[in-house]
Coordinates of all heavy atoms in Angstrom, one line a residue:
D29 N 82.3 137.4 72.2 CA 82.5 136.1 71.7 C 82.4 135.0 72.9 O 81.7 134.0 72.8 CB 83.8 135.9 71.0 CG 83.8 134.6 70.2 OD1 82.9 134.2 69.6 OD2 84.9 133.9 70.3
L30 N 83.0 135.4 74.0 CA 83.0 134.5 75.1 C 81.6 134.4 75.7 O 81.1 133.3 76.1 CB 84.0 134.9 76.2 CG 84.2 134.1 77.4 CD1 84.7 132.7 77.0 CD2 85.1 134.7 78.4
E31 N 80.9 135.5 75.8 CA 79.5 135.5 76.3 C 78.6 134.7 75.4 O 77.7 133.9 75.9 CB 79.0 136.9 76.4 CG 77.6 137.0 77.0 CD 77.0 138.4 77.1 OE1 77.7 139.3 76.8 OE2 75.8 138.5 77.5
K32 N 78.8 134.8 74.1 CA 77.9 134.0 73.1 C 78.2 132.5 73.3 O 77.3 131.7 73.3 CB 78.2 134.5 71.7 CG 77.6 135.8 71.4 CD 77.9 136.3 70.0 CE 77.3 137.7 69.8 NZ 77.8 138.3 68.6
R33 N 79.4 132.2 73.5 CA 79.7 130.7 73.7 C 79.1 130.2 75.0 O 78.6 129.1 75.1 CB 81.2 130.5 73.7 CG 81.8 130.5 72.2 CD 83.2 130.1 72.2 NE 84.0 131.2 72.7 CZ 85.3 131.1 73.0 NH1 85.9 129.9 73.0 NH2 85.9 132.1 73.5
W34 N 79.2 131.1 76.0 CA 78.6 130.7 77.3 C 77.1 130.5 77.1 O 76.5 129.5 77.6 CB 78.9 131.7 78.4 CG 78.2 131.4 79.7 CD1 78.6 130.6 80.7 CD2 76.9 131.9 80.1 NE1 77.7 130.6 81.7 CE2 76.6 131.4 81.4 CE3 76.0 132.8 79.6 CZ2 75.5 131.7 82.1 CZ3 74.8 133.1 80.3 CH2 74.6 132.5 81.5
L35 N 76.4 131.5 76.5 CA 75.0 131.4 76.2 C 74.6 130.1 75.4 O 73.6 129.4 75.7 CB 74.4 132.6 75.5 CG 74.3 133.9 76.4 CD1 74.0 135.1 75.5 CD2 73.3 133.7 77.4
A36 N 75.4 129.8 74.4 CA 75.2 128.6 73.6 C 75.3 127.4 74.4 O 74.5 126.5 74.3 CB 76.2 128.6 72.4
N37 N 76.3 127.3 75.3 CA 76.4 126.1 76.2 C 75.2 126.0 77.1 O 74.7 124.9 77.4 CB 77.7 126.2 77.0 CG 78.9 125.9 76.2 OD1 78.9 125.3 75.2 ND2 80.1 126.4 76.6
E38 N 74.8 127.1 77.7 CA 73.6 127.1 78.6 C 72.3 126.7 77.8 O 71.5 125.9 78.3 CB 73.4 128.5 79.2 CG 74.4 128.8 80.3 CD 74.3 127.8 81.5 OE1 73.2 127.7 82.1 OE2 75.3 127.1 81.8
L39 N 72.2 127.2 76.6 CA 71.0 126.8 75.8 C 71.0 125.4 75.5 O 70.0 124.6 75.6 CB 71.0 127.7 74.5 CG 69.8 127.5 73.6 CD1 68.5 127.7 74.3 CD2 69.9 128.4 72.4
R40 N 72.2 124.9 75.1 CA 72.4 123.4 74.8 C 72.0 122.6 76.0 O 71.3 121.6 75.9 CB 73.8 123.1 74.3 CG 73.9 121.7 73.8 CD 75.3 121.4 73.4 NE 76.2 121.3 74.5 CZ 77.3 122.1 74.7 NH1 77.6 123.0 73.7 NH2 78.0 122.1 75.7
R41 N 72.5 123.0 77.2 CA 72.2 122.3 78.4 C 70.7 122.2 78.7 O 70.2 121.1 79.0 CB 73.0 122.9 79.6 CG 72.8 122.2 80.9 CD 73.3 123.0 82.1 NE 72.6 124.3 82.2 CZ 71.4 124.5 82.7 NH1 70.7 123.5 83.1 NH2 70.9 125.7 82.8
V42 N 70.0 123.3 78.5 CA 68.6 123.4 78.8 C 67.9 122.5 77.8 O 67.0 121.7 78.2 CB 68.1 124.8 78.7 CG1 66.5 124.8 78.8 CG2 68.6 125.6 79.9
I43 N 68.2 122.5 76.5 CA 67.6 121.7 75.5 C 67.8 120.2 75.8 O 66.9 119.4 75.8 CB 68.0 122.1 74.1 CG1 67.5 123.5 73.8 CG2 67.5 121.1 73.1 CD1 68.0 124.1 72.5
Q44 N 69.1 119.9 76.2 CA 69.4 118.5 76.5 C 68.6 118.0 77.7 O 68.2 116.9 77.8 CB 70.9 118.3 76.7 CG 71.7 118.5 75.4 CD 71.5 117.5 74.4 OE1 70.4 117.1 74.1 NE2 72.6 117.0 73.8
D45 N 68.5 118.9 78.7 CA 67.7 118.5 79.9 C 66.2 118.3 79.5 O 65.6 117.3 80.0 CB 67.7 119.6 81.0 CG 69.1 119.7 81.7 OD1 69.9 118.7 81.5 OD2 69.3 120.7 82.4
L46 N 65.7 119.1 78.7 CA 64.3 118.9 78.2 C 64.1 117.6 77.4 O 63.2 116.9 77.6 CB 63.8 120.1 77.3 CG 63.5 121.4 78.0 CD1 63.3 122.5 77.0 CD2 62.4 121.3 79.0
R47 N 65.1 117.3 76.6 CA 65.1 116.0 75.9 C 65.1 114.8 76.8 O 64.4 113.9 76.7 CB 66.3 115.9 74.9 CG 66.1 116.8 73.7 CD 67.3 116.6 72.8 NE 67.4 115.3 72.3 CZ 66.9 114.8 71.2 NH1 66.1 115.6 70.4 NH2 67.0 113.5 70.9
K48 N 65.9 115.0 77.9 CA 66.0 113.9 78.9 C 64.7 113.7 79.6 O 64.3 112.6 79.8 CB 67.2 114.2 79.8 CG 67.5 113.1 80.8 CD 68.7 113.5 81.7 CE 68.9 112.4 82.7 NZ 70.1 112.7 83.5
Q49 N 64.1 114.9 80.1 CA 62.9 114.8 80.8 C 61.8 114.2 80.0 O 60.9 113.5 80.5 CB 62.5 116.2 81.3 CG 63.3 116.8 82.3 CD 63.0 118.2 82.6 OE1 62.1 118.8 82.1 NE2 63.9 118.9 83.3
A50 N 61.8 114.4 78.6 CA 60.8 113.8 77.7 C 61.1 112.4 77.4 O 60.4 111.8 76.6 CB 60.7 114.7 76.5
K51 N 62.2 111.9 77.9 CA 62.7 110.5 77.7 C 62.9 110.2 76.2 O 62.7 109.2 75.6 CB 61.6 109.5 78.2 CG 61.5 109.6 79.7 CD 60.5 108.5 80.2 CE 60.3 108.5 81.7 NZ 60.8 109.4 82.6
L52 N 63.5 111.3 75.5 CA 63.9 111.1 74.1 C 65.2 110.4 74.0 O 66.1 110.6 74.8 CB 64.0 112.4 73.4 CG 62.7 113.2 73.2 CD1 63.0 114.6 72.5 CD2 61.7 112.4 72.5
Q53 N 65.4 109.5 73.1 CA 66.7 108.9 72.8 C 67.5 109.9 71.9 O 67.0 110.7 71.3 CB 66.4 107.6 72.0 CG 65.6 106.6 72.8 CD 66.3 106.1 74.1 OE1 67.5 105.9 74.1 NE2 65.6 106.1 75.1
P54 N 68.8 109.7 71.9 CA 69.7 110.6 71.1 C 69.3 110.6 69.7 O 69.4 111.7 69.0 CB 71.1 110.0 71.3 CG 71.0 109.4 72.7 CD 69.6 108.8 72.8
S55 N 68.8 109.5 69.2 CA 68.4 109.5 67.7 C 67.0 110.1 67.5 O 66.6 110.3 66.3 CB 68.5 108.1 67.2 OG 67.6 107.3 67.9
D56 N 66.2 110.3 68.5 CA 64.8 110.9 68.3 C 64.9 112.3 67.9 O 65.6 113.1 68.4 CB 64.0 110.8 69.6 CG 63.7 109.4 70.0 OD1 63.8 108.5 69.2 OD2 63.4 109.2 71.2
K57 N 64.1 112.6 66.9 CA 64.0 114.0 66.4 C 63.1 114.9 67.3 O 62.2 114.4 67.9 CB 63.4 114.0 64.9 CG 64.2 113.2 64.0 CD 65.1 114.0 63.2 CE 65.8 113.2 62.1 NZ 67.2 113.4 62.0
A58 N 63.4 116.1 67.4 CA 62.6 117.1 68.1 C 62.9 118.5 67.6 O 63.8 118.7 66.8 CB 63.0 117.1 69.6
Q59 N 62.0 119.4 68.0 CA 62.2 120.8 67.6 C 62.3 121.6 68.9 O 61.5 121.4 69.8 CB 61.0 121.4 66.8 CG 60.8 120.8 65.5 CD 59.5 121.4 64.8 OE1 58.7 122.0 65.5 NE2 59.4 121.3 63.5
A60 N 63.2 122.5 69.0 CA 63.3 123.4 70.1 C 63.0 124.8 69.6 O 63.7 125.4 68.8 CB 64.7 123.3 70.7
S61 N 61.9 125.4 70.1 CA 61.5 126.7 69.8 C 62.1 127.7 70.8 O 61.9 127.5 72.0 CB 60.0 126.8 69.8 OG 59.6 128.2 69.7
V62 N 62.9 128.6 70.4 CA 63.6 129.5 71.3 C 63.2 130.9 71.0 O 63.2 131.3 69.8 CB 65.1 129.3 71.3 CG1 65.5 127.9 71.7 CG2 65.7 129.6 69.9
G63 N 62.9 131.7 72.0 CA 62.6 133.1 71.8 C 63.5 134.0 72.5 O 64.0 133.6 73.6
G64 N 63.8 135.1 72.0 CA 64.6 136.1 72.7 C 66.1 135.7 72.8 O 66.8 136.2 73.6
I65 N 66.5 134.9 71.9 CA 67.9 134.4 71.8 C 68.6 135.0 70.6 O 68.1 135.0 69.5 CB 68.0 132.9 71.8 CG1 67.3 132.2 72.9 CG2 69.5 132.4 71.7 CD1 67.9 132.4 74.3
D66 N 69.8 135.5 70.9 CA 70.7 136.1 69.8 C 70.8 135.0 68.7 O 71.2 133.9 69.0 CB 72.0 136.5 70.4 CG 73.0 137.1 69.4 OD1 72.9 136.8 68.2 OD2 73.8 137.9 69.8
P67 N 70.5 135.4 67.4 CA 70.7 134.4 66.3 C 72.1 133.9 66.2 O 72.3 132.7 65.8 CB 70.3 135.3 65.1 CG 69.5 136.4 65.6 CD 70.0 136.7 67.0
N68 N 73.1 134.6 66.6 CA 74.5 134.1 66.5 C 74.7 132.9 67.5 O 75.4 132.0 67.3 CB 75.5 135.2 66.8 CG 75.5 136.2 65.7 OD1 75.5 135.9 64.5 ND2 75.5 137.5 66.1
V69 N 74.0 133.0 68.7 CA 74.1 132.0 69.7 C 73.4 130.7 69.1 O 73.9 129.6 69.3 CB 73.4 132.4 71.0 CG1 73.3 131.3 72.0 CG2 74.2 133.6 71.6
I70 N 72.3 130.9 68.5 CA 71.5 129.8 67.9 C 72.4 129.0 66.9 O 72.5 127.8 66.8 CB 70.2 130.2 67.3 CG1 69.3 130.7 68.4 CG2 69.5 129.1 66.5 CD1 68.0 131.4 67.9
E71 N 73.1 129.8 66.0 CA 74.0 129.2 65.0 C 75.1 128.4 65.7 O 75.5 127.3 65.1 CB 74.5 130.3 64.1 CG 73.6 130.8 63.1 CD 72.9 129.7 62.3 OE1 73.6 128.9 61.7 OE2 71.6 129.8 62.2
L72 N 75.6 128.8 66.8 CA 76.6 128.1 67.5 C 76.2 126.7 67.9 O 77.0 125.8 67.9 CB 77.1 128.9 68.7 CG 78.0 130.1 68.5 CD1 78.3 130.8 69.8 CD2 79.4 129.6 67.9
I73 N 74.9 126.5 68.3 CA 74.5 125.2 68.9 C 73.9 124.3 67.8 O 73.7 123.1 68.1 CB 73.6 125.4 70.1 CG1 72.3 125.9 69.7 CG2 74.3 126.1 71.2 CD1 71.2 125.7 70.7
R74 N 73.5 124.8 66.7 CA 72.8 124.0 65.7 C 73.6 122.7 65.4 O 73.0 121.6 65.3 CB 72.5 124.8 64.5 CG 71.3 125.6 64.6 CD 70.6 126.0 63.3 NE 69.3 126.5 63.5 CZ 68.8 127.6 63.1 NH1 69.6 128.4 62.4 NH2 67.6 128.0 63.4
S75 N 74.9 122.8 65.2 CA 75.6 121.6 64.9 C 75.9 120.7 66.1 O 76.3 119.5 65.9 CB 77.0 122.0 64.2 OG 77.7 122.7 65.2
Q76 N 75.7 121.2 67.3 CA 76.0 120.5 68.5 C 74.8 119.6 68.9 O 75.0 118.6 69.7 CB 76.3 121.4 69.7 CG 77.6 122.3 69.4 CD 77.8 123.3 70.5 OE1 77.1 123.3 71.5 NE2 78.8 124.2 70.3
I77 N 73.6 119.8 68.4 CA 72.5 119.0 68.7 C 71.8 118.6 67.4 O 70.8 119.2 67.0 CB 71.5 119.8 69.6 CG1 72.2 120.4 70.8 CG2 70.4 118.8 70.1 CD1 71.3 121.3 71.7
P78 N 72.4 117.7 66.7 CA 72.0 117.4 65.3 C 70.5 116.9 65.2 O 69.9 117.1 64.2 CB 73.0 116.3 64.9 CG 73.5 115.7 66.1 CD 73.5 116.8 67.1
N79 N 70.0 116.2 66.2 CA 68.6 115.7 66.0 C 67.5 116.6 66.6 O 66.4 116.2 66.8 CB 68.5 114.3 66.7 CG 69.1 113.3 65.8 OD1 69.1 113.4 64.6 ND2 69.8 112.3 66.4
T80 N 67.9 117.8 66.9 CA 67.0 118.8 67.4 C 67.1 120.0 66.5 O 68.1 120.7 66.5 CB 67.3 119.2 68.9 OG1 67.3 118.1 69.7 CG2 66.3 120.2 69.4
A81 N 66.0 120.3 65.8 CA 65.9 121.5 65.0 C 65.7 122.7 65.9 O 64.8 122.8 66.7 CB 64.8 121.4 64.0
I82 N 66.6 123.7 65.8 CA 66.5 124.9 66.6 C 65.8 125.9 65.8 O 66.3 126.4 64.7 CB 67.9 125.4 67.0 CG1 68.8 124.3 67.6 CG2 67.8 126.6 67.9 CD1 68.2 123.7 68.9
I83 N 64.6 126.3 66.2 CA 63.8 127.3 65.4 C 63.4 128.5 66.3 O 63.4 128.4 67.5 CB 62.5 126.6 64.9 CG1 61.7 126.0 66.0 CG2 62.9 125.5 63.9 CD1 60.4 125.4 65.6
V84 N 63.2 129.6 65.7 CA 62.8 130.8 66.4 C 61.3 130.9 66.5 O 60.8 131.4 67.4 CB 63.5 132.0 65.7 CG1 63.1 133.3 66.4 CG2 65.0 131.9 65.7
E85 N 60.6 130.5 65.5 CA 59.1 130.6 65.5 C 58.5 129.5 66.3 O 59.3 128.6 66.8 CB 58.6 130.5 64.0 CG 58.8 129.2 63.3 CD 60.1 129.0 62.7 OE1 61.0 129.9 62.7 OE2 60.4 127.9 62.1
A86 N 57.2 129.5 66.4 CA 56.6 128.4 67.2 C 56.8 127.1 66.6 O 56.8 126.9 65.4 CB 55.1 128.7 67.3
G87 N 57.0 126.1 67.4 CA 57.2 124.7 66.9 C 55.9 124.1 66.5 O 54.8 124.6 66.7
T88 N 56.0 123.0 65.8 CA 54.8 122.2 65.4 C 54.9 120.8 66.0 O 56.0 120.3 66.3 CB 54.8 122.1 63.8 OG1 56.0 121.4 63.4 CG2 54.7 123.4 63.1
G89 N 53.8 120.2 66.2 CA 53.8 118.9 66.8 C 53.3 119.0 68.3 O 52.8 120.0 68.7
D90 N 53.6 118.0 69.0 CA 53.2 117.9 70.4 C 54.2 118.6 71.3 O 55.4 118.3 71.2 CB 53.1 116.5 70.9 CG 52.0 115.7 70.1 OD1 51.0 116.3 69.8 OD2 52.2 114.5 69.9
L91 N 53.8 119.5 72.2 CA 54.7 120.2 73.1 C 55.0 119.2 74.2 O 54.2 118.6 74.8 CB 54.0 121.4 73.8 CG 54.7 122.1 74.8 CD1 56.0 122.8 74.2 CD2 53.9 123.2 75.5
I92 N 56.3 118.9 74.4 CA 56.7 117.8 75.3 C 57.6 118.4 76.4 O 58.0 117.7 77.3 CB 57.4 116.7 74.6 CG1 58.6 117.2 73.8 CG2 56.5 115.9 73.7 CD1 59.5 116.0 73.1
G93 N 57.9 119.7 76.4 CA 58.7 120.3 77.5 C 58.8 121.8 77.3 O 58.7 122.3 76.2
E94 N 59.1 122.4 78.4 CA 59.2 123.9 78.4 C 60.1 124.3 79.6 O 60.1 123.7 80.6 CB 57.8 124.5 78.6 CG 57.8 126.0 78.5 CD 56.4 126.6 78.5 OE1 55.6 126.3 79.4 OE2 56.0 127.3 77.5
A95 N 60.9 125.3 79.3 CA 61.8 125.8 80.4 C 62.1 127.3 80.1 O 61.8 127.8 79.0 CB 63.2 125.1 80.3
D96 N 62.5 128.0 81.2 CA 62.9 129.4 81.1 C 64.1 129.5 80.2 O 65.0 128.6 80.2 CB 63.1 130.0 82.4 CG 61.8 130.2 83.3 OD1 60.8 130.4 82.6 OD2 61.9 130.1 84.5
G97 N 64.2 130.6 79.5 CA 65.4 130.8 78.6 C 66.6 131.1 79.4 O 66.6 131.2 80.6
V98 N 67.7 131.3 78.7 CA 69.0 131.5 79.3 C 69.4 133.0 79.1 O 70.4 133.4 79.7 CB 70.1 130.6 78.7 CG1 69.8 129.2 78.9 CG2 70.2 130.9 77.2
Q99 N 68.6 133.8 78.4 CA 68.9 135.2 78.2 C 67.6 136.0 78.6 O 66.5 135.6 78.2 CB 69.2 135.3 76.7 CG 69.9 136.6 76.3 CD 70.3 136.6 74.9 OE1 70.0 135.6 74.1 NE2 71.1 137.5 74.5
S100 N 67.8 137.0 79.3 CA 66.7 137.8 79.7 C 66.1 138.6 78.5 O 66.8 138.9 77.6 CB 67.1 138.8 80.8 OG 68.1 139.7 80.3
G101 N 64.8 138.8 78.6 CA 64.2 139.5 77.5 C 62.8 138.9 77.3 O 62.3 138.0 77.9
A102 N 62.1 139.5 76.3 CA 60.7 139.1 76.0 C 60.7 137.7 75.5 O 61.4 137.3 74.6 CB 60.2 140.1 75.0
D103 N 59.8 136.9 76.1 CA 59.6 135.5 75.7 C 60.9 134.7 75.4 O 61.2 134.3 74.3 CB 58.7 135.4 74.4 CG 58.2 134.0 74.2 OD1 58.2 133.2 75.2 OD2 57.9 133.7 73.1
S104 N 61.6 134.6 76.5 CA 62.9 133.8 76.3 C 62.6 132.3 76.7 O 63.5 131.7 77.2 CB 64.0 134.4 77.2 OG 63.7 134.4 78.5
K105 N 61.4 131.9 76.6 CA 61.1 130.5 76.9 C 61.7 129.6 75.8 O 61.8 129.9 74.7 CB 59.6 130.3 76.9 CG 58.9 130.9 78.1 CD 58.9 130.0 79.2 CE 58.0 130.5 80.4 NZ 58.3 129.9 81.6
I106 N 62.0 128.4 76.3 CA 62.5 127.3 75.4 C 61.4 126.2 75.4 O 61.1 125.7 76.5 CB 63.8 126.8 75.8 CG1 64.9 127.9 75.8 CG2 64.3 125.6 74.9 CD1 66.1 127.6 76.5
R107 N 60.9 125.9 74.2 CA 59.8 124.9 74.2 C 60.3 123.7 73.3 O 60.8 124.0 72.2 CB 58.5 125.5 73.6 CG 57.9 126.5 74.6 CD 56.8 127.3 74.0 NE 56.2 128.3 74.9 CZ 56.6 129.5 74.9 NH1 57.5 130.0 74.1 NH2 56.1 130.4 75.8
L108 N 60.1 122.5 73.7 CA 60.5 121.4 73.0 C 59.3 120.6 72.4 O 58.3 120.4 73.2 CB 61.3 120.4 73.9 CG 62.0 119.3 73.2 CD1 63.2 119.8 72.3 CD2 62.6 118.3 74.2
Y109 N 59.3 120.4 71.1 CA 58.2 119.7 70.4 C 58.6 118.4 69.8 O 59.7 118.3 69.3 CB 57.6 120.6 69.3 CG 57.0 121.9 69.8 CD1 57.8 123.0 70.0 CD2 55.7 122.0 70.0 CE1 57.3 124.2 70.4 CE2 55.1 123.2 70.5 CZ 55.9 124.3 70.6 OH 55.4 125.5 71.1
R110 N 57.7 117.4 69.8 CA 57.9 116.2 69.0 C 57.2 116.4 67.7 O 56.0 116.5 67.7 CB 57.4 115.0 69.8 CG 57.7 113.7 69.0 CD 57.3 112.5 69.8 NE 58.3 112.3 70.9 CZ 57.9 111.9 72.1 NH1 56.7 111.7 72.4 NH2 58.8 111.8 73.1
P111 N 57.9 116.4 66.6 CA 57.2 116.7 65.3 C 56.4 115.5 64.8 O 56.5 114.4 65.3 CB 58.4 116.9 64.3 CG 59.6 116.4 65.0 CD 59.3 116.3 66.4

């Protein structure tokens, strides 16, 4: 449980950094495509970033940011899209 909370915090930090780099306002909608992340971790952060849809599949729209994931494994990239 502690590891999952840590991973959720790291994932949230990376997504927030990508939003900042893309110059998104807090009210701007975005999609964060995450791969190789435990679904329980994803559920932990969904309510913490209300204007960013956390999805496991490929996002739709314009790719506006990309970062390495927080969990080792196949395709643990985090991609941020503007829908």
